[in-house]
Amino acid sequence: MKNSVSLGILLTSLAYMAFTFHDAIIKILTSSIPVWQILFFRSLTILTGCLAFGRGKLVRQTMRSPIIKSMIARSILLLCAWLSYYSAASRLQLAEVTTLYYAAPIVGTVLAWLILKEEVTPARWLAVGVGFVGVLIACNPIGLTISWPVYLALQAAVLWASAMVLLRKTSLHEKTIVQLTVSNVFFLVMTGIAVLYTWKTPDMTQLLLLIATGVVAGGAQFALFEGMRQAPVSVLAPFEYTSLVWAFLLGYLIWADIPTPNVVFGAAMILAAGLIIIVSEKLRRRIAA
C-alpha cells in the first residue's frame, strides 16, 4: 500500500467482512450453545494462538505494558457493548437492531472529533451520513417504538463507538498482539465465570464451529486493531457499514435469502459512502503533496 490510510481502510474492511462470517457462525451455534460459552471458546482460541506465537516474551510485554489499564477499560466497554447487542437482538427484529446499532459510526465520528481532536472533513461527515441512510433503506425498519431492547441496541452502539476511539489511542502506543492478549484474557475470565453455570457439552461439529469462531474472530480483531493504528477513526467509521453488505451476501449464499430491491439500493449507498472516503482522502494527499 502507498500510505497508511489506504492500509487502514483495507484492514478495517477485511475486519468487518471477517466479523460478518463470525456472526454467521454464532447464529448457527446460538440455537444449541449459550452465548457465554461461545465467547469463552472464542477467547480461549485467540489467546492460545497469541501465546503460541509470542510465548514467554509476550507474557512479559503484556504484564509490563504502560497502558494496560486503558486496554482493560476498552475490554470492559467491548464486553458491555456485546452483551447489550446480544440482549437487544434476542428481542428485536434483525432489521431493527441492525439499524439502531449502526448509529455507532456516527457516534464514533463525533467522539473522534471531540476526544481525539481529529479533523473531520465535510467528506467524512457526508460518507457517514450516506452510509447510515443506506442502512435505513436496506433494513427498512417498520413500527419501531421506544422500549428497553431499543435502548440496549443504542447503548451497544455508543459503547462500541467509545471502545473504537479508545482503541485508536491504545493502538498508537502498544503492539497489536499485546492488545489481543489483554482483551482475550479479560474475556476469558469474565465468560469463564458464566460458563460454570451455563455449560453445555458440545458435539464434534459444534466444537469445530466454536474453534472456527475463535480463528475468524482472531483474524478480524487483528485486522481491526492494525487498521486503527494506521488511520483516523473518522476515516474508518463509514467502512463499518460494509459489514451489512457482507451480511446480506452471506445470507443469500448460506440461507438462500433473496435481497429485496431496497436492500440492493441500500447496499449501493453503503458502497458509495466508502468511495467518498477513498476519493476524498486521495484528493487530500494530492493537495498536500
Side-chain angles (χ1 to χ4, degrees):
M1 304 297 294
K2 294 182 178 180
N3 59 83
S4 62
V5 172
S6 297
L7 180 57
I9 290 173
L10 175 61
L11 288 171
T12 303
S13 299
L14 290 174
Y16 287 121
M17 179 184 71
F19 276 128
T20 306
F21 281 86
H22 162 268
D23 290 344
I25 299 173
I26 287 182
K27 182 178 180 180
I28 295 171
L29 284 169
T30 48
S31 61
S32 55
I33 303 293
V35 172
W36 285 107
Q37 191 170 334
I38 297 171
L39 296 177
F40 175 82
F41 270 92
R42 185 186 71 177
S43 295
L44 180 61
T45 303
I46 296 172
L47 185 59
T48 300
C50 290
L51 293 175
F53 180 81
R55 302 186 181 182
K57 182 180 179 181
L58 174 60
V59 175
R60 291 189 296 272
Q61 288 177 333
T62 301
M63 294 181 66
R64 297 172 183 171
S65 176
I67 59 168
I68 191 167
K69 291 182 180 179
S70 296
M71 291 189 287
I72 292 174
R74 187 198 63 222
S75 299
I76 294 172
L77 288 173
L78 286 174
L79 178 62
C80 293
W82 283 332
L83 291 177
S84 299
Y85 178 80
Y86 288 130
S87 297
S90 65
R91 296 173 177 84
L92 294 175
Q93 295 180 8
L94 179 61
E96 294 173 338
V97 72
T98 300
T99 302
L100 292 167
Y101 182 72
Y102 276 122
I106 299 175
V107 176
T109 301
V110 173
L111 290 178
W113 176 56
L114 291 174
I115 298 175
L116 300 180
K117 307 301 180 183
E118 290 184 3
E119 179 189 358
V120 184
T121 63
R124 295 177 187 177
W125 286 117
L126 177 62
V128 171
V130 169
F132 187 66
V133 171
V135 171
L136 288 175
I137 294 173
C139 295
N140 191 28
I142 298 175
L144 192 62
T145 58
I146 299 300
S147 62
W148 180 247
V150 169
Y151 167 78
L152 286 176
L154 291 172
Q155 176 177 276
V158 174
L159 290 170
W160 174 265
S162 302
M164 291 302 100
V165 170
L166 190 52
L167 173 57
R168 170 64 175 172
K169 295 189 70 173
T170 58
S171 294
L172 297 175
H173 301 285
E174 191 55 271
K175 295 179 180 178
T176 295
I177 192 169
V178 173
Q179 296 193 79
L180 285 174
T181 301
V182 172
S183 293
N184 287 286
V185 166
F186 174 82
F187 284 123
L188 195 65
V189 172
M190 298 301 296
T191 57
I193 296 172
V195 163
L196 293 175
Y197 300 96
T198 60
W199 176 267
K200 287 189 178 181
T201 303
D203 57 30
M204 185 55 66
T205 300
Q206 291 169 336
L207 181 60
L208 291 174
L209 287 174
L210 286 168
I211 295 173
T213 301
V215 173
V216 175
Q221 288 181 20
F222 184 87
L224 182 63
F225 287 15
E226 280 293 314
M228 287 292 176
R229 184 197 300 275
Q230 302 295 332
V233 174
S234 57
V235 170
L236 301 179
F239 290 90
E240 186 171 348
Y241 294 131
T242 60
S243 60
L244 184 63
V245 179
W246 290 112
F248 287 129
L249 178 61
L250 209 57
Y252 173 74
L253 294 176
I254 298 178
W255 293 283
D257 295 334
I258 305 298
T260 58
N262 64 294
V263 168
V264 175
F265 185 69
M269 291 193 67
I270 292 169
L271 294 176
L275 290 175
I276 289 172
I277 288 291
I278 293 171
V279 172
S280 66
E281 293 303 314
K282 187 174 182 179
L283 289 174
R284 278 168 58 87
R285 290 196 304 271
R286 286 183 177 178
I287 294 173

